[in-house]
Each structure stands twice: as C-alpha cells, then as structure tokens.
Amino acid sequence: MALAFTSSTSIAFSSSSSSSRTEQGIHVSSTKFQPSDVSHLVSPAAFNLSRKRSAAVKALNAEPRRNHPIVPSATTTFAPDVVEKAVEVEDFEKLAKDLENASPLEIMDKALEKYGNDIAIAFSGAEDVALIEYAHLTGRPYRVFSLDTGRLNPETYKFFDTVEKHYNIRIEYMFPDSVEVQALVRTKGLFSFYEDGHQECCRVRKVRPLRRALKGLRAWITGQRKDQSPGTRSEVPVVQVDPVFEGMDGGSGSLVKWNPVANVGGNDVWSFLRTMDVPVNSLHGQGYVSIGCEPCTRAVLPGQHEREGRWWWEDAKAKECGLHKGNIKEEIVSGNVNSNDGASDIFNGNDIVNLSRHGMENLLKMEDRKDAWIVVLYAPWCQFCQAMEASYVELGEQLAGSGVKVGKFRADGDEKVFAQQELQLGSFPTILFFPKHSSRPIKYPSEKRDVDSLTSFVNALR
C-alpha cells in the first residue's frame, strides 16, 4: 500500500486566514458547538515531544510506485530513520485499560510508534480530520486512506483535496469493484437501499473495498466515539482486536483497531479543531454532522443526535454501514444467536450454491459424487463469516468449471443441532470438503480464510 508522509518542524497554528475558515463552515458550525477546555486533548508535554521528533522526520518526495496493489498514485517510501519492528503478542484488553485515561495524542503516538508503516488512518471526510491532526502533531510518519464510494458529496471531494494540501500528504483512495457496482445497479436500480436496507449497497461500495485495504495492514485507526451512536458505539475501547476484519497475516486476531477519540465528546473534538485551525468539510456549516454518501446523509435539526442524519429511514439502533459492524451486539434467544439488525444473507455469488438441509443430507449419503464440494457452514450475523465473505466468493469464481462445486449452508437456528451432530460444526464458520469418492467430509483446520489458503486446501485434497 502506498504511503502518505508528513513532517513537522514546529507546532503552530495554521497560517490560513480566519476568513478562509469561515468559507469552510467553521464560523457557522461554531454556533452549534460550545467551546470547552481542550487541555486534556493536547498537553504541553506532548508539544515538546513533537518538537523533539520533528528533527528526525524529514519531508519525503518520492515517485509513485506503480506496481502497488492498492493505491498506485500515492506517494510511497519509508522514512530513512524508521525501522520496522516485529509486532509482539499483546493483551489488548489490558492495553485498552492502561490507555483508558490517556489523551488522544498519547494514544495516537502509541499506535504509530507500535506499528509504523503497517498502520493507517481511516479518513471519511468528516470531523475525523482530527485524527490526521493528532498524527501530524506526533511528528511521526503516518498513512491515511479513504473509501471513495462514487456517491460522495461534491463538498467532500473538495475537502479531500484541501486536507492533502494542508498536510502535504497523499490520501490512499480505495474504490469499489466496478463489476459489482454495475451488477447491483443494473439488477436493483440506483436507490434500492431505500426499499430493502442499506447493507447490500454498503457491502459493495464500502465494506469490500475496506477489506482489501486492511489486508495490507496490521492495524488501523478510526474516529469512532462512544457518544456518536449510543445504540452501537457506547462501549468502544481505545484499542481492540478487530472483531470483523483480517490483517495482512490473515485469520482472526490478525488486525488491531485503534480508536484514539473513543472517550472524547463531540464538542471537545470540535473545540480542538477550532483551536488548531484545522480545515473541515463545508457541509458541517450546513447542518451536517455525521457525513457519508450523498443519498444516505442529510442535515440534522437542532437537538437531534448526529447519527439521525445517516440512513434516517431505518432503525436508529443499527446505524452502521458494516465498517464497524462488530459494534452491533448479538442477543441469545432460546439458545440461538440472532442479530439485532436483521442481518441479510451473505456469501451471495453466482458460483456459490445455496444448499438446503435436504441437499446437505444428500451430500453426506453420496459415496461416489460427480464433483467434489467445498461447503461453508455459516450464520449471516457471525462477524467471522462476514470477514471471509469476499475470499469465499472469489474462491467460487476461481473454482468455476474446475470439477469442484462451492456451496454454503446456513447452520444456525433450527439447523444448528443437525450441523453439530452430523457436520462437525464447532463454531462459525466451519468449512468442509467433500471428496469425489468418499462420504466423509474433511474439515478445514485453519483460521486463515483468505482465498490462497482455501485454494491450497482444495488443491491438496482433490
């Protein structure tokens, strides 16, 4: 993945005039947010720390690396004095407790120090520009990426350009797969999310591009705050093992998620942005607080919660696009787990066969099959099943016409006992391979569920 570095020779307010800030919405939005003491956000010691580091970090101007799989047009290189360190095994629950009362600047500094080039800031074009400012203040090199869904507001695109120029960086943009977008729009139209929920569109335009980006990282930094969404974010820790996505090493637990402003209130974030004279999206001055795609975002009225402007036609308790779906809690009902948000089905691909209970029973009975089968036992609410969806769909595409059928079997609810007794289900997802000349399925033994690992498993057995 390409890198976007910035350096600092001193810590000072931006030289941009106050009038230019008024054009970007600072003056208007200041009537909505009350200034508050930000001494706990940026301490004098932290400023001194940044000054000391600034001498060691130089501005870099490198030619784009054209063969990079993620962002071919971004500035790419390593700071000459940054040495990559092996990431040690750590108790992140304990680390989260240790950093619970730390300032966002301290948390950001810890994250960048720990992961170096293997961590990046997720920037949405809203008030999480504060994350970039904190990273800038540490004096360390840092990377920034953003998801361009193709449906953002014009103001957001202009804001991206302003941020790049302000910090002298290149944002690493991730785009949705054009074939998937084309199929969705041709099949269901441009605004299907108003009728059947936003999850499918978000999965194509945001979740899958994010999954590709995170595959090149060991950690990422988000702007989640506890006060953003009481229904889904009230217990967000400052650091956690990502419950949904996988990092470059693959498998569960391979990605760490940092939330430096988790414990900071929205008013304090805005006080920090004004104090540091940070550029902001001009939509904030028009009543927008939480900003996403243009068709799914609107301004909020005074007194409304900021997330009420996102997917306003849906249940307020499940307002996540899938990027932070691990925040949505699960309920245990009569021994079965069900999602609060009515999770839609997953593993939907043209080359994946949806097997019924009868179909699975037939597979178990056959001793001489025409084709071998690989089948995933899944539950659509399972975060680990969701995390491997793209890999499994790609596996189906690769194996099409090869003599190996790719299937899925929903094994929760009423089918769970059957799957446990007859299909070796221990936890979701469970992956089984049915050889051509054997009735006994072979269970996939690894937690690495990337397409290369799954392909190697199939090739070793067929």
Side-chain angles (χ1 to χ4, degrees), residues 108-156:
M108 177 67 74
D109 185 70
K110 182 72 173 179
L112 296 178
E113 176 190 29
K114 195 171 189 64
Y115 289 94
N117 184 57
D118 293 334
I119 191 171
I121 297 168
F123 176 51
S124 70
E127 76 274 21
D128 50 10
V129 67
L131 298 175
I132 301 178
E133 179 68 12
Y134 284 124
H136 176 72
L137 292 175
T138 69
R140 298 183 185 276
Y142 60 93
R143 301 169 62 181
V144 180
F145 75 92
S146 189
L147 306 177
D148 184 352
T149 65
R151 306 202 74 172
L152 303 179
N153 296 78
E155 293 87 348
T156 298

Side-chain angles (χ1 to χ4, degrees), residues 150-276:
R151 306 202 74 172
L152 303 179
N153 296 78
E155 293 87 348
T156 298
Y157 289 111
K158 292 178 182 177
F159 181 45
F160 285 153
D161 182 64
T162 300
V163 168
E164 287 189 324
K165 292 175 180 176
H166 183 85
Y167 292 101
N168 191 29
I169 62 175
R170 282 289 179 266
I171 297 172
E172 302 172 23
Y173 295 102
M174 296 300 298
F175 302 92
D177 183 271
S178 60
V179 175
E180 291 185 352
V181 173
Q182 178 177 284
L184 174 63
V185 173
R186 285 185 175 181
T187 302
K188 306 186 74 172
L190 287 168
F191 301 100
S192 60
F193 41 82
Y194 289 141
E195 300 173 358
D196 56 14
H198 70 272
Q199 295 295 336
E200 183 178 17
C201 184
C202 284
R203 185 182 299 123
V204 170
R205 294 181 181 271
K206 299 177 73 172
V207 177
R208 287 175 178 165
L210 176 66
R211 183 177 288 115
R212 294 199 310 270
L214 297 179
K215 276 291 189 179
L217 301 171
R218 287 192 169 89
W220 62 310
I221 302 168
T222 85
Q224 290 190 103
R225 303 191 321 270
K226 291 179 178 177
D227 68 342
Q228 280 176 325
S229 182
T232 63
R233 301 187 179 184
S234 60
E235 298 179 9
V236 170
V238 296
V239 60
Q240 63 188 133
V241 175
D242 195 298
V244 175
F245 296 100
E246 298 180 4
M248 64 171 64
D249 294 329
S252 105
S254 60
L255 186 71
V256 178
K257 189 175 187 178
W258 291 76
N259 308 300
V261 294
N263 297 320
V264 180
N267 287 345
D268 288 333
V269 169
W270 275 92
S271 182
F272 170 72
L273 294 176
R274 289 196 301 273
T275 299
M276 303 307 295

Side-chain angles (χ1 to χ4, degrees), residues 349-352 374 389-406 449-459 462:
N350 294 330
D351 302 298
I352 297 178
I374 183 169
E389 180 185 19
S391 297
Y392 198 70
V393 171
E394 184 177 347
L395 178 71
E397 295 170 353
Q398 289 188 8
L399 294 179
S402 69
V404 178
K405 300 288 188 181
V406 180
R449 304 182 185 107
D450 58 281
V451 67
D452 291 336
S453 298
L454 294 173
T455 301
S456 297
F457 171 66
V458 170
N459 290 338
R462 67 174 175 172

Side-chain angles (χ1 to χ4, degrees), residues 291-306:
I291 300 173
C293 292
E294 188 277 333
C296 304
T297 308
R298 66 181 183 183
V300 295
L301 299 173
Q304 282 188 302
H305 191 273
E306 62 184 84

Side-chain angles (χ1 to χ4, degrees), residues 66-142:
R66 297 297 177 188
N67 62 350
H68 196 280
I70 294 187
V71 184
S73 61
T75 306
T76 64
T77 188
F78 286 92
D81 54 348
V82 174
V83 179
E84 286 191 297
K85 299 179 181 178
V87 180
E88 68 275 15
V89 177
E90 185 162 3
D91 183 345
F92 287 100
E93 289 188 7
K94 180 179 182 301
L95 181 60
K97 291 180 181 179
D98 293 342
L99 294 174
E100 183 69 17
N101 296 317
S103 70
L105 184 60
E106 291 175 280
I107 298 168
M108 177 67 74
D109 185 70
K110 182 72 173 179
L112 296 178
E113 176 190 29
K114 195 171 189 64
Y115 289 94
N117 184 57
D118 293 334
I119 191 171
I121 297 168
F123 176 51
S124 70
E127 76 274 21
D128 50 10
V129 67
L131 298 175
I132 301 178
E133 179 68 12
Y134 284 124
H136 176 72
L137 292 175
T138 69
R140 298 183 185 276
Y142 60 93

